[in-house]
Amino acid sequence: MAVLTAARRRRRGATRVPPVVLAFVLVPLLAEAFWVFWPAVQGFYLSLTDWDGVSAPKFVGVGNYHEMFGDSVFRTALLDTVLWLLLFGGLSALLGLGAALLLQQERRGVGFYRAALFLPVVFSLTATALVWQAMYQPDGLINNTLDFFGLGSLRHAWLADQDTALYAVIVPALWRQIGYVMVLYLAGLKGIDPVLYEAAKVDGATRWQQFRHITIPQLRGVNAVVLSVIVIDSLRSFDVVWALTRGGPYHSSELLSTYMYSTAFQSLRLGYGSALAVVIFVLAFGVIVSYLVRAFREAD
Amino acid sequence: MINSVPSRRRFLAGTGAVGAAALMSGCVTSGPSTKTSSGGGPVTLQSNLSSPQAKKAMQDLVAGFNKRGGAKATLNTVASETFRTQLPTYLTSSQPPDLLTWYPGSVADSYAKKGLLLDVSDIWTKPELSGYSEALKKLCTSSDGKKVFVPATYYWWGCFYRKSNFAKWGVQEPTTWDEFLDLCDKLKKKGVAPIGIGAGGNTAWVASSWFDYLNIRINGAQYHRDLLAGKHRFDDPEVHKVFDRWAEALPYFDPNGTALAFQDATTSLLQGRTGMMLIGTFFADSAPKDMLDDIDFFRFPVIDPKVPLAEEGPTDGYFASAHTGRKDEVKELMTYMATVEAQEIYLKGSSGTALPTNPEAKDTGTPLVKKGRALIEGAADVTQFFNRDSSDALQPSADTALTRFLAKPKEINSILTTWQRDAQKIWGQ
């Protein structure tokens, strides 16, 4: 009987959460609720209203979402965001992985190249954009370099031409992102057991076969992180576009994020702007969750 | 040295306070607050005049106010574009800046209608403001008859050029549209881009000046104001006429016009790469002072002699938040801003190309300023500018429509249809 009671007491003792631990969980949750969940709920409520930021919001139900179906700028922004996701996301993953493979081996001076590639990450995107803006000017470095090499016919108002604006904006964003992705892949590559490569070499595997059958599968965990980072960064890409083109000329480099900002804070249609924010959230959440679910299912 | 030992109680109290602050900051939809900022302390003046010369002039102005005893003021300068987008937030905040730089007319009235601006009718009866013109009094009065604004300076828009360049090219100021096109033709043959614009970068709004001027020259100032108030449509035949004329001048525009901000376009003008530029005198704030003597301007050419000649003469000044807790001190500062002393301090510190609104205050007296004053005083009507005569919210729709027209003039029908649709969304709010 005494043994039983002691065991029960021990079990009760094990499950009892000390109040301090509870506080460390509940208090941040409360702060998070006020800081994140509450504004998010308010944002969703705002998306159901017509609000100019000054008067009281007018409830319009799903009117803002309905308007999106007929809004050609929304369609442009959505397509540009998908294009941005593919180009910016795809290229930064590929080039980041390429840079990591190139710079993974400890050689003399490799640290310098790693630092040089990572350097743009340190600068703010707005500062980066301002430097690139100067380069894209009609008499800027890029056009002058083209002239120097006798390619004057390719001169362009890169940011003011609707055919080139979006691509011109992607370049500085990529320039910055590659270093970041490279660091993630470098960490992943360092985590691969060298024994696997040695075994493969003994079996006579070529470099491509080693990459295909060891490196790629071993990087699966890192890929999930990189994909999440890329999707989130793509959907929240705003600063570089805003600093360079503000989504223009005439919406040709408009992303959902810039359209949301200009609708909400320039045209003062905060209800419609909030509806766009909800769409961005749903897209980011949807893409990441569906990928993670698939990734975990494969892992099982 | 004081060692603070973190305790659980202190930690919990801290997080509780932070959470409460977050709760309060989350109340974004509660509408205009009736709370007022606390009294005492200096009056906060939020200024959008962020170019180096104008900012320094504002600092001189506040120093002048603080030196004279009585209420005190502090200056907070915010980049113009940030200021514009944040203005509704400033005014609806429960702790607003007391006094803000901005524009009178329809922009101020839209805030006054919502009860966000302080009624300053009593200071308009004081000697400092009693001599102001009837036109200014009307401009500073809201639609319910209260005075809500104190004007400080105004400036003019014109076609600016360098005298030495015009002499070098052997060309003269035009007065009519045909003479203007002829001048453009001559400049183009000399290898100069005749018309600089600066509607790229973050200053696409500069293109609205061309729309404004062509509209007031073709359809008149009243039609222009009515159009911007939503009483006409942007796809009306009258508006098409504006773009027909603009298309005649389009081949003479600098091809880089939509790639450069107005500050860079100013450099092109001063370096003689462009011949002239329709711009307001504020561009002088980003020009070297020693070049100002070589700058001249001419009136936007006459298109239809039957239409009375109106000019764009935007007025700048101050309005106060209705929620300020320092009403008396704010009014003291606003009264000071209207004085001869204050307006002369500002003009001395800035590029000096603006004109004071106080009839007793002296302008800088340069030939350029005298010519500018004569232009506005001789105008049959004075308009403000696109966003000032309409609303800040309508400006982005104009930016999109006009930059698209500059690049794709043949798409004018769809441009105007889209513009009307976008404008309707703003007016419908």
Side-chain angles (χ1 to χ4, degrees):
Chain A
M1 184 66 195
V3 174
L4 253 179
T5 318
R8 203 173 294 149
R9 199 177 296 142
R10 251 201 317 275
R11 206 179 307 134
R12 210 184 294 146
T15 52
R16 192 175 156 269
V17 181
V20 180
V21 174
L22 209 63
F24 269 91
V25 174
L26 287 180
V27 172
L29 184 73
L30 207 65
E32 179 89 351
F34 284 143
W35 251 319
V36 180
F37 303 148
W38 171 239
V41 169
Q42 274 204 323
F44 181 70
Y45 166 70
L46 278 180
S47 76
L48 305 175
T49 66
D50 203 358
W51 189 37
D52 63 2
V54 179
S55 320
K58 197 167 66 196
F59 188 78
V60 292
V62 291
N64 287 324
Y65 295 95
H66 190 253
E67 188 186 325
M68 268 180 221
F69 286 106
D71 183 352
S72 58
V73 183
F74 171 73
R75 279 199 298 272
T76 309
L78 189 66
L79 279 174
D80 282 351
T81 305
V82 171
L83 199 62
W84 183 277
L85 188 69
L86 294 175
L87 278 178
F88 166 80
L91 286 174
S92 61
L94 279 178
L95 296 173
L97 177 62
L101 287 169
L102 211 64
L103 301 175
Q104 65 167 322
Q105 288 192 355
E106 298 300 337
R107 289 191 207 117
R108 208 185 157 103
V110 78
F112 171 78
Y113 289 104
R114 282 184 198 157
L117 262 176
F118 190 71
L119 198 63
V121 183
V122 181
F123 302 135
S124 86
L125 253 180
T126 314
T128 304
L130 289 173
V131 172
W132 280 83
Q133 191 171 41
M135 299 211 287
Y136 280 133
Q137 287 275 306
D139 292 317
L141 183 72
I142 293 174
N143 280 341
N144 287 343
T145 310
L146 286 172
D147 271 347
F148 182 78
F149 288 106
L151 299 166
S153 58
L154 295 177
R155 281 178 74 96
H156 235 84
W158 301 98
L159 296 171
D161 186 333
Q162 65 162 349
D163 297 329
T164 55
L166 183 68
Y167 307 102
V169 174
I170 286 181
V171 174
L174 260 182
W175 181 68
R176 185 179 183 272
Q177 189 80 356
I178 288 169
Y180 184 40
V181 175
M182 176 192 75
V183 168
L184 293 175
Y185 275 124
L186 270 178
L189 289 171
K190 294 267 173 219
I192 302 175
D193 192 345
V195 173
L196 292 173
Y197 290 107
E198 280 163 25
K201 273 185 207 159
V202 171
D203 289 345
T206 60
R207 275 181 169 263
W208 169 250
Q209 283 170 326
Q210 288 174 36
F211 175 71
R212 169 86 181 75
H213 299 289
I214 301 173
T215 312
I216 297 279
Q218 290 288 316
L219 285 179
R220 190 172 287 163
V222 184
N223 280 336
V225 175
V226 169
L227 185 107
S228 305
V229 166
I230 283 171
V231 170
I232 293 167
D233 281 355
S234 298
L235 286 166
R236 69 172 193 171
S237 285
F238 169 78
D239 30 19
V240 68
V241 187
W242 194 254
L244 284 171
T245 62
R246 306 196 157 216
Y250 37 97
H251 306 300
S252 60
S253 61
E254 198 84 77
L255 299 182
L256 284 173
S257 55
T258 54
Y259 188 43
M260 175 196 79
Y261 182 84
S262 61
T263 310
F265 299 107
Q266 291 206 300
S267 300
L268 295 176
R269 301 186 66 219
L270 283 111
Y272 193 60
S274 301
L276 290 166
V278 170
V279 169
I280 294 172
F281 171 77
V282 168
L283 281 177
F285 196 72
V287 171
I288 289 164
V289 165
S290 62
Y291 179 81
L292 288 181
V293 165
R294 208 167 55 92
F296 284 129
R297 200 173 291 154
E298 278 173 15
D300 288 343
Chain B
M1 191 176 158
I2 302 165
N3 276 324
S4 125
V5 183
S7 69
R8 189 179 358 149
R9 187 176 296 169
R10 191 177 293 171
F11 172 75
L12 291 177
T15 26
V18 167
L23 176 66
M24 283 187 283
S25 71
C27 299
V28 290
T29 54
S30 52
S33 165
T34 50
K35 262 175 80 177
T36 57
S37 62
S38 57
V43 174
T44 52
L45 166 57
Q46 194 102 327
S47 162
N48 73 321
L49 301 167
S50 53
S51 75
Q53 290 188 44
K55 187 178 171 185
K56 197 199 154 285
M58 287 302 287
Q59 285 164 344
D60 294 345
L61 194 56
V62 169
F65 177 71
N66 288 339
K67 218 184 284 172
R68 53 184 273 292
K72 300 280 178 225
T74 54
L75 177 69
N76 183 28
T77 305
V78 178
S80 195
E81 187 56 27
T82 311
F83 186 101
R84 193 176 74 78
T85 51
Q86 293 293 315
L87 187 55
T89 316
Y90 298 151
L91 290 172
T92 50
S93 151
S94 58
Q95 297 282 327
D98 300 303
L99 189 63
L100 301 110
T101 54
W102 210 237
Y103 316 136
S106 88
V107 171
D109 188 41
S110 65
Y111 292 120
K113 274 185 192 155
K114 287 165 180 144
L116 298 171
L117 301 188
L118 185 67
D119 178 2
V120 294
S121 302
D122 49 345
I123 66 173
W124 272 86
T125 58
K126 292 189 174 179
E128 290 86 349
L129 282 126
S130 56
Y132 276 48
S133 69
E134 283 305 313
L136 278 175
K137 281 180 190 162
K138 198 176 143 200
L139 190 66
C140 299
T141 308
S142 67
S143 45
D144 61 357
K146 290 175 192 153
K147 302 269 189 307
V148 290
F149 197 89
V150 166
T153 53
Y154 65 100
Y155 60 92
W156 71 98
W157 282 69
C159 299
F160 285 84
Y161 62 91
R162 280 189 76 170
K163 286 186 269 189
S164 56
N165 281 344
F166 263 34
K168 189 174 75 187
W169 298 322
V171 291
Q172 317 266 302
E173 289 184 359
T175 51
T176 63
W177 185 246
D178 288 341
E179 283 175 20
F180 175 71
L181 293 180
D182 193 40
L183 165 67
C184 291
D185 210 34
K186 280 183 188 156
L187 293 181
K188 199 172 182 182
K189 281 179 184 149
K190 287 182 189 295
V192 176
I195 308 169
I197 178 165
N202 296 335
T203 60
W205 53 269
V206 171
S208 301
S209 62
W210 273 87
F211 177 76
D212 284 3
Y213 257 112
L214 286 163
N215 201 20
I216 58 180
R217 287 285 183 270
I218 294 167
N219 297 311
Q222 195 50 49
Y223 176 88
H224 181 62
R225 274 191 286 260
D226 289 347
L227 173 69
L228 303 195
K231 291 179 191 161
H232 301 291
R233 295 173 60 87
F234 282 104
D235 49 5
D236 276 350
E238 283 84 355
V239 181
H240 273 275
K241 278 189 215 162
V242 167
F243 288 94
D244 290 345
R245 286 293 183 173
W246 198 343
E248 290 171 9
L250 217 49
Y252 302 114
F253 273 70
D254 177 14
N256 294 330
T258 52
L260 298 172
F262 84 78
Q263 294 91 340
D264 300 315
T266 302
T267 310
S268 294
L269 177 78
L270 296 177
Q271 292 177 347
R273 278 179 280 154
T274 54
M276 53 201 163
M277 195 168 150
L278 175 63
I279 194 84
T281 60
F282 54 82
F283 84 101
D285 280 329
S286 51
K289 263 195 166 178
D290 58 339
M291 284 200 183
L292 291 182
D293 291 341
D294 193 31
I295 288 173
D296 203 350
F297 77 96
F298 59 87
R299 179 201 292 274
F300 192 88
V302 176
I303 295 175
D304 181 351
K306 282 177 275 177
V307 178
L309 286 175
E311 304 296 338
E312 296 246 78
T315 305
D316 292 342
Y318 308 89
F319 57 40
S321 165
H323 303 151
T324 175
R326 308 178 183 94
K327 283 184 186 162
D328 295 337
E329 293 88 342
V330 165
K331 285 179 184 175
E332 197 180 323
L333 178 56
M334 286 177 98
T335 311
Y336 176 74
M337 296 303 198
T339 61
V340 173
E341 179 197 336
Q343 296 190 3
E344 288 180 357
I345 288 177
Y346 179 78
L347 292 178
K348 212 172 145 195
S350 65
S351 64
T353 46
L355 295 160
T357 49
N358 189 318
E360 307 284 318
K362 285 196 195 88
D363 56 41
T364 49
T366 62
L368 184 75
V369 167
K370 276 188 189 152
K371 195 173 168 185
R373 188 186 274 275
L375 176 86
I376 298 293
E377 285 174 357
D381 201 342
V382 176
T383 51
Q384 292 292 306
F385 191 76
F386 188 93
N387 66 321
R388 299 175 184 224
D389 287 325
S390 56
S391 69
D392 286 336
L394 201 64
Q395 185 68 55
S397 70
D399 295 347
T400 305
L402 301 181
T403 48
R404 194 170 151 208
F405 169 74
L406 288 169
K408 312 243 169 191
K410 287 190 180 139
E411 292 177 8
I412 188 62
N413 291 332
S414 78
I415 290 169
L416 294 183
T417 313
T418 311
W419 194 2
Q420 174 62 24
R421 199 192 58 211
D422 291 348
Q424 254 165 344
K425 287 179 192 165
I426 308 290
W427 287 322
Q429 285 208 123

